[in-house]
Each structure stands twice: as C-alpha cells, then as structure tokens.
Amino acid sequence: MKQKLSTLSPGQSGILAHLEDGGRHLSGRLRDLGFTPGSKVTLTGISPLGDPLAFRIRGTVIALRRTDAALLEVFPCEPEEGRGQR
Amino acid sequence: MIRAVLAGNPNVGKSTVFNALTGLRQHTGNWPGKTVETKTGTFRHNGHTVEITDLPGAYSLRPHSPEEAVAGDFLRENCTCEECGRLDCVVIVCDAAALSRNLILVLQILEMTPRCVVCVNLMDEAKKRGIAVDTDALSRLLGCPVIPCAARRKEGLSALQDAIVQTGTETGNTGMPASAYDDIPARAQAIAEETVHTCPDTAYRRDMLFDRIFLGKWTAYPIMALLVLGIFWLTIHGAGYLSAGLEWCFDRILPLCRDLLLICRLPEAVVSFLADGVLGTLTQVIAVMLPPMAIFFPLFTLLEDLGYLPRTAFCLDRLFCRCGACGKQALTMLMGLGCNAAGVTGCRIIDSPRERKLAILTNCLIPCNGRLPMVLFLTGTLTVLATGYEASGGLQAVLLTGTLFLCTTVTLALCHILSSTLLRGTPSAFALELPSYRIPRVG
Ligand SMILES: Nc1nc2c(ncn2[C@@H]2O[C@H](COP(=O)(O)OP(=O)(O)OP(=O)(O)O)[C@@H](O)[C@H]2O)c(=O)[nH]1
Ligand SMILES: [Mg+2]
C-alpha cells in the first residue's frame, strides 16, 4: 500500500515510489539529495515543534517539511525490516 | 603545471583535503555550505607543480541556486571548452559513509570528463561505523582511480597526489564502462550496493543517540539554552581573568613608555597626550574588547565542528516558517554571532532569494563577537543602575542569553513584518542535510 512519506511513523522505513512535483521545482532538488524511486528512507526524527521531519536516506540525514514530504510516496516496510540500514 | 580542482557534495571534507594537500588554512566546519568562494593553492609532488582549486560544495551539476551554480559552471567551462581554460584533473571528494548519494554527482561529472580521480574521504569515520568500501571494485566500475583517504588524519594523501599527477599528465583514463542503467541515481545506487558493505546495527547508533538528546522533544530547547549560556559563561569568566592579566601587563608597560617619551625631551603636554591619551585608551580598549573575542570564537568553533549548528535550524524551522522565513536562517544567525560578515555570506545556504534577503537584512540584529563586550558593558551598567550591585559572571551570562533571546524575537518579528509587506511571499521548500556528529579537533 502506498502512503505519503510524511505519514511514516518514527523509526519506520519505506521504499520510495515516485516523485510528484508540487509545482515548486522540488522534485529535481530531492532527486539530487538521493530521494529517487526505489531508495529506502527511514524517518529518524521529528523536530520538537513537530515540523521538519528528519529522514535517513542513502547514508545521510535530510530534513524536510511535512508539506514537502507529502509530495513523495512510499511503500512502507515491515517494522522489523525497517531497523537502521542505509 | 597541472591544474586540478576539488569538487564534491557539501561537507565531505573538500576543504580539509585542500588544506592537507597545500598546507593552506581554508576554513572548515561541520555543516554543508561552509565554503563560499573558490580558493586556489599549489603543491609539488614528484617534480610536478599542481595548482588545485577548492570549490564550494554542490549536490548536483544542475544548480538550484546561483551559488550552487558556481561549482557546476566552473567545471563546465573548464572541462568542455578548450580555449577558456584547461583542467587536467577533477578530484571528486566523497563521503565514504554516503557513497550512494555522492556517486550521483560523481557520475554526472564523469559524463563530462574522464579525467577524474575519486577521493573517498572520511574512511576513518566509515570504518568506525562498520562501513567498508571496496575501492578496487569501485575503480573498475567507474573507470577512474579511486583513492581512500582520511584527510583530517592526513592518511592516503600521497596516493591521492600520485593519482592526481598521473591523471593530470597522461591521457590515460579509460572512461566509464557502459552500464545497464541510463538513469544516474539508479546507477549510483547499483554501484554503491556492489561496493559498499554496511553493518546496519552499528552504523548510526552514535548519531541516533546524540539526536535523541539534542533533538528530543523535551530536551532540545533546554540544551540549546544551556549551550548558549555555557558558552557565554565561559567567555565572561575567562575574559575576566584575561582582562585582568592584560591590564596588569599594560600597567607595567605604560609608565615605561611615559618615561621613554620624557627622555626624548618632549613637552609635557605632548607626552601626556601620547601616553595617557592615545596609549592609555588603546590599551584600555584592547584589555576590554580582545579577551571576550579570543575566548568566544574558539568555543563557537567547537560547536560548529560538533555538527550542532544545522540542528538548531531543524529545531527552530517551524517558528521561522510561521514568520515567512526559512529555518536555515537560525544557522546563519548563529554564524552571525561569531561574525556578522560570516553570517551574511553563510546565507547562501538558503535557496529562495526572498528568504535569503530576509536572512541577510536581519543578520545585523544579532550582536556579533565584536559587539559582545559592548553588550556586556551595557548589561553590566544597567544592572548596577537598577539594583545597585555589580552583576556576577553568572548573572551576566544569563543577561547575555536573554539579550540573544530578545534579538531572536525581534528578528522573527521583523521577518514577519517584512514578509507581509516589502518581501511578500510564502515560505518555499526546505531541505537541509543534518551532518553526522564529529568530535571537534582542537588546534
Ligand atoms: N573524521 C574525519 N573528519 C573529517 C575528515 N575530513 C574532514 N573532516 C571533517 O568534516 C567536516 C567538513 O569538512 P570541510 O572540509 O569543511 O568540508 P567541505 O567539503 O569543504 O564542506 P563545504 O565547504 O561546506 O562544501 C569538518 O568538520 C572536518 O573536520 C576525515 O578524513 N575524517
Ligand atoms: Mg569547504
């Protein structure tokens, strides 16, 4: 089941489905940061104020706002698969 | 002479490699976007002179902001056009722990020119995390030399120099072997999967532990306040001792100068003017102004090297977003605390021109290092006026932290006003890399 990247729960991982451009030229930027279809993302943290979310992707941690993360879709992994990694 | 250039993603250690190769002292710091301008240096190796240029980091050759275009344009001009410049070797610096992402840029550059050397930096850190990189296999897959390095410990540098000289003097490199993928990110991932071996359990344990403390829901802000308070406290206390020491020295030196002037048989008025007026004021200013700066700056650099600064942007983004600005402004404000000029140039990390203008315009509201003694003086005097007692070091630190809090509030308010009047607009997208924590190196 596909779901929005912003709806992952902390610690949960997913495989990126595809980029949907919200008309703000974000998708090209996100591709260069490693958010490409097939990559594994893990939600590693949430800002104390609740907004930017921190994702581990391809060995780096990238912070995105919820509205931007909602432009991406993931196939969530089973919880035990989703520990650590990449 | 061989002309080489250092390219790569932000915060992979390009400037550290540059310093290690040339012996120069380009500024380094543990956050993406530290280097703003290109800098050139030279070194000699095996009888060849190599001129090497340090570029600002870029995530891609397709620029998303004019500043990021600097690196791409430099490479494009120098690699593809024969007359306007000739590059003999492009050194692409990578983070061994994030090869999968770094390889995207590597592949983009390799498409432009085969004269590349890939430097897989931060090997020491990767090893600690249980990440192993098979550089031989990587070299085969990319068709260019791949050198493992740990620039901060100066490991692998002579091999890197060999490779630069070799690539720069020969037409040798075979170029990239053909691949099944035509999509660069997918190909980067495939290559990384083949050459990087990660032990997922240990890889990010330390970073996650630190993040739980520094970014925790209940701990983040108290720690932020405590860090600022701690730095101010150390600055004030240390500065007190240093000032006293300096004054003691000056007290011995000034009478000597006075005597010296008197020996020269200058009129009394001139001697008084020079010794009491010029020298007296000068030493007074030095004794008061210099110590806080001399202590604050190194302390601040420690925080910068730890990798904490981008985390403040992460914690505060929501507030800035509400005021129509970008969270990265928090980072530039902190840099402004060290030096407003550094803060303004640091604004390059903000992609949207509107938000960048906001950050540049309001940076002056943060009292920089040089203005701190002035603020200290004011808070000190005001305390005496209000209570009749002299403020202790601790109270001074609290007052200074309060001043910073006030400045931040004013900045936010001004951003809010500006973004609803002169610089109208809604917040744009936000993507910020949080670097891994690194133990600051002293010296
Ligand atoms: N442990 C370790 N740390 C390193 C190494 N090389 C660089 N660093 C650290 O990594 C951080 C970033 O280094 P810089 O040289 O500023 O990185 P850069 O690529 O020039 O960054 P930008 O100018 O922002 O693009 C600094 O804190 C360095 O001390 C290394 O080999 N090992
Ligand atoms: Mg640099």
Side-chain angles (χ1 to χ4, degrees), chain B residues 199-221:
Chain B
C199 169
D201 279 339
T202 56
Y204 305 108
R205 198 185 284 153
R206 195 182 65 170
D207 285 272
M208 279 164 51
L209 181 73
F210 274 121
D211 271 346
R212 210 167 303 149
I213 301 168
F214 284 127
L215 308 181
K217 195 163 188 173
W218 304 112
T219 48
Y221 300 110

Side-chain angles (χ1 to χ4, degrees), chain A residues 24 26 28-29 31-34 36 38-39 45-54 56 58-65 68 83-86, chain B residues 59-60 62 64 68 97-98 100-101 104 183 185 189 193 200-201 204 215 220-221 314-315 317-318 321 325 351 427-434:
Chain A
R24 294 199 287 173
L26 187 71
R29 167 55 119 202
R31 270 172 70 89
D32 295 332
L33 287 170
T36 52
S39 301
I46 300 176
S47 165
L49 291 180
D51 201 356
L53 307 174
R56 181 171 298 287
R58 293 185 171 214
T60 58
V61 179
I62 309 280
L64 298 179
R65 291 200 185 127
D68 301 325
R83 276 176 57 233
Q85 252 243 40
R86 310 201 124 234
Chain B
Y59 285 112
S60 145
R62 286 179 300 180
H64 296 278
E68 226 188 12
S100 165
R101 211 271 308 283
I104 297 176
D183 177 55
Q189 189 163 5
E193 260 158 29
D201 279 339
Y204 305 108
L215 308 181
Y221 300 110
F314 180 70
C315 290
D317 177 65
R318 186 114 198 226
C321 187
D351 291 328
S428 70
F430 169 87
L432 172 71
E433 182 170 352
L434 302 180

Side-chain angles (χ1 to χ4, degrees), chain B residues 8-17 27-36 54-58 121-125 149-153 304-305 348 438:
Chain B
N9 281 171
N11 205 38
V12 293
K14 295 177 296 300
S15 302
T16 311
V17 171
H27 290 294
T28 64
N30 191 9
W31 55 282
K34 175 79 185 171
T35 304
V36 181
D54 182 28
L55 292 181
N121 192 28
L122 297 154
M123 283 302 270
D124 53 333
E125 221 175 76
C149 277
R152 205 156 80 165
R153 299 183 180 179
E304 188 183 346
D305 280 342
R348 86 172 196 106
R438 296 198 170 116

